Amino acid sequence: MSSFESLGIRAEILRALTDLGFEKPTPVQEKTIPLLLTGEGDMVALAQTGTGKTAAFGIPMLERIDTSQKTIQALVLAPTRELCVQISRDFEHFAKHLTGIKVVSVYGGANIRDQIRGIQRGANVVVATPGRLIDLLERGAIDLGHVHTAILDEADEMLNMGFQEDLTSILDRTPKEKRTWLFSATMSREVRRIAKNYMREAEEVSMGEGNKANESIQHQYAVVMARDRYLALKRFVDADPNLFAIVFCRTKQDTQELAESLTKDGYNADAIHGDLSQQQRDRVMERYRSKSLQMLVATDVAARGIDVSNVSHVIHFDLPGEVESYTHRSGRTGRAGKTGISLSIIGVRDVFKVRNLERQLKVHFSYVKVPDGAEICERQLLTMIGKIKSVKVDEDAISRYMDAVELDLADLTREDLIKRVVSLEFNRFLKQYKDARDLNVDMASKDRNPRAGGQAREPREKSGFGRSSDGPMRSMFINIGTKDGFDKGKMLGYLCGITGLTGQNFGRILLKDMYSFIDIDSEHFDEAMGHFKNANYKGRKVRVDEGGGAATGARDFKADKKKFNKARYAGVA
Ligand code: AMP
């Protein structure tokens, strides 16, 4: 492997890299830096997040800036605010010993006038999200006429997020003879189209196969009943006291509710999603970065561009819809030479999705079991002992209390004392996991009989009716409830009668006076809804709707819906 010196980087930047503790180039830097420093053409590089790509384009870009000119010479486009901030911060680090480099980042959700002032003060490098840049262009607040280097970072993400039009209109407003460098984790059709239309004979640099995931990441999956995913998540967390994770959900609401459930259960977790204000997002990220939070629960969009070191686990509480999203999610761990785990906690019906990911990404997913109570207690105990052994005792400070403490504890034997100290923290786990059931689904018997439980049925929460479905659920609102004489058993009978489905297809039922919510497995949801088209109950028209919606004006409807969704995560191990 070569050194940074041998790549032809100038001394001031080499010094900055030494300051940062970068000892040798990463593979993407080794391949792209010489090419970008010496060549004149465009480049398309396939590189995941965490591979050192910011330096790969940042260093050669900085080398090309003429600091005597107070014009914007380099433009970097990135999909999110977080990524923009991170890129400019990295540039500032690389340019620490260069004089006259001024980097300005512009993105939505922040004061545009401050950003305009930043540009007017003589920016020569601008890092921007496409939307905000368009806004600035439309106000005539930015001149891209002197840009000689345009960089598209995470191009696939920008296209996924619908920035295609913005990208093309931005690139149209930059000089034709500029150099364009495109970095993308995946080579989608849309990325190819941009490369074809906006780049000239671009050199392609690949770090391996196109959609291949980062090799420093171990891909694992655990299979449980879909409704047990929350319990399984808690077990994985409890079994690994050093876990520092990003947990992915598919929707903002699920993200928020999962974080709330975790917090309620005593975990340090918080959510980040698009409904939060920029300030709230910053606060959450600050707490996560400083490790006051053990878990960041995130949507795909909100997590883009997050660069936090030492993330030990990326946990897929919901599998993503797209292969590319899986690559982006798991790229949040295993960064900068570290290893990480990308763990999918899936319901039985999602096993095929893992197989698809394996095929498309050409990576192996190892099956792991959800830890049982004994394993969790043992790991917690060992961690506790480790802490006792490694804790630094401040002899001076404690000595004045020691006589009193010894006197107080004089009656306890050494053994008693050890037991008590350990029990202080350990009791919680013992209590929680005493008689904990096995959450793993026995996949072998599942394969033989996919509709069978595959293991001895576990004691369920008292839902009052037969076993519910294992797969993903959607919730149905219906305008009948206890006032109409329903209890759960009657409701289930009524539902089965109308829809022709069996008890297996229904999940939780929440009955209110005038209306109810019912979980129906996703596979049969639309079919079931269709059966209520002309339904009447005791002369009253029966109305159904998915989840919330506009079906009712009941005041506590929203709160009930929230409660209902929360109940999905409820339960004890
Ligand atoms: P990036 O892919 O640019 O987001 O970089 C991922 C992480 O790797 C960042 O935290 C960088 O600071 C770090 N990094 C980049 N290049 C190197 C290097 N040559 N040696 C050590 N760490 C690096």
Side-chain angles (χ1 to χ4, degrees), residues 183-462:
F183 283 72
S184 182
T186 54
M187 185 47 87
S188 61
R189 239 194 350 237
E190 290 75 15
V191 173
R192 276 202 191 285
R193 197 173 311 132
I194 287 274
K196 187 165 162 270
N197 295 343
Y198 285 89
M199 298 169 76
R200 294 159 295 147
E201 292 157 24
E203 184 113 21
E204 271 201 35
V205 175
S206 162
M207 298 301 118
E209 284 170 75
N211 284 336
K212 205 168 166 176
N214 184 337
E215 275 169 11
S216 52
I217 301 167
Q218 275 183 48
H219 300 271
Q220 302 180 341
Y221 71 103
V223 186
V224 296
M225 293 297 176
R227 60 175 172 245
D228 284 340
R229 285 174 307 138
Y230 179 61
L231 298 181
L233 169 65
K234 291 200 292 180
R235 291 213 192 163
F236 278 108
V237 178
D238 288 343
D240 189 345
N242 296 319
L243 174 140
F244 180 55
I246 303 182
V247 183
F248 282 94
C249 292
R250 214 140 29 171
T251 67
K252 294 174 200 166
Q253 188 179 350
D254 288 348
T255 306
Q256 187 64 39
E257 286 170 5
L258 180 59
E260 280 172 16
S261 299
L262 286 166
T263 309
K264 203 176 91 227
D265 286 343
Y267 297 87
N268 289 325
D270 208 340
I272 183 160
H273 54 71
D275 280 354
L276 301 182
S277 71
Q278 207 55 252
Q279 239 180 353
Q280 288 171 312
R281 286 163 64 132
D282 288 347
R283 252 202 313 273
V284 173
M285 282 313 298
E286 214 174 279
R287 288 172 63 216
Y288 185 59
R289 252 182 243 288
S290 65
K291 297 207 167 175
S292 315
L293 291 177
Q294 184 187 21
M295 276 177 278
L296 180 71
V297 188
T299 55
D300 288 275
V301 176
R304 278 177 194 141
I306 290 178
D307 176 26
V308 176
S309 323
N310 302 322
V311 172
S312 68
H313 288 68
V314 162
I315 299 178
H316 310 268
F317 190 69
D318 292 318
L319 279 175
E322 313 273 324
V323 177
E324 284 82 5
S325 304
Y326 182 87
T327 306
H328 279 284
R329 284 180 176 190
S330 46
R332 306 292 149 209
T333 183
R335 295 167 80 81
K338 306 250 169 52
T339 55
I341 290 174
S342 175
L343 168 69
S344 304
I345 302 175
I346 57 170
V348 185
R349 289 185 187 170
D350 280 346
V351 173
F352 80 96
K353 291 188 186 163
V354 168
R355 300 283 169 254
N356 282 346
L357 287 171
E358 277 191 318
R359 253 196 317 278
Q360 297 187 45
L361 297 171
K362 300 187 177 61
V363 294
H364 173 66
F365 278 66
S366 340
Y367 171 72
V368 290
K369 290 207 155 211
V370 180
D372 62 20
E375 259 175 283
I376 293 170
C377 290
E378 190 182 321
R379 286 193 223 164
Q380 287 290 343
L381 188 58
L382 291 176
T383 311
M384 179 83 195
I385 293 168
K387 277 191 194 161
I388 293 175
K389 279 165 87 174
S390 63
V391 68
K392 281 210 166 54
V393 176
D394 186 336
E395 298 288 353
D396 286 345
I398 208 165
S399 61
R400 51 196 280 236
Y401 305 106
M402 280 314 289
D403 287 346
V405 171
E406 274 175 24
L407 198 67
D408 232 18
L409 300 175
D411 291 344
L412 297 178
T413 63
R414 179 177 182 272
E415 198 185 340
D416 266 341
L417 200 57
I418 293 174
K419 277 191 213 156
R420 280 164 197 251
V421 170
V422 170
S423 299
L424 278 178
E425 205 165 310
F426 187 55
N427 277 356
R428 177 163 78 89
F429 293 98
L430 272 184
K431 189 168 159 224
Q432 191 173 346
Y433 288 111
K434 191 167 160 273
D435 303 327
R437 63 192 165 88
D438 183 6
L439 296 181
N440 296 288
V441 170
D442 176 351
M443 291 308 292
S445 56
K446 267 282 174 200
D447 277 348
R448 280 193 295 276
N449 179 9
R451 288 214 66 82
Q455 62 177 1
R457 293 305 316 151
E458 68 270 13
R460 291 297 312 144
E461 305 103 290
K462 294 181 199 74

Side-chain angles (χ1 to χ4, degrees), residues 4 22 24-26 29 49-54 86 307 335-336:
F4 279 117
F22 291 10
K24 51 185 189 318
T26 64
Q29 292 162 0
T49 56
T51 52
K53 63 186 167 62
T54 317
Q86 193 186 300
D307 176 26
R335 295 167 80 81

Side-chain angles (χ1 to χ4, degrees), residues 120-189:
Q120 286 167 346
R121 264 184 239 124
N124 33 39
V125 178
V126 168
V127 184
T129 52
R132 177 52 60 104
L133 188 58
I134 289 283
D135 202 347
L136 290 165
L137 282 165
E138 278 167 5
R139 289 169 188 238
I142 191 165
D143 174 13
L144 301 180
H146 301 276
V147 168
H148 58 55
T149 310
I151 299 164
L152 310 183
D153 190 21
E154 302 207 353
D156 52 348
E157 281 299 321
M158 289 198 277
L159 295 168
N160 285 344
M161 290 167 80
F163 282 133
Q164 174 142 2
E165 237 176 80
D166 289 350
L167 284 185
T168 52
S169 77
I170 290 167
L171 291 174
D172 280 340
R173 299 198 208 187
T174 55
K176 280 220 158 14
E177 59 282 6
K178 71 183 175 302
R179 294 180 75 184
T180 308
W181 305 339
L182 180 152
F183 283 72
S184 182
T186 54
M187 185 47 87
S188 61
R189 239 194 350 237

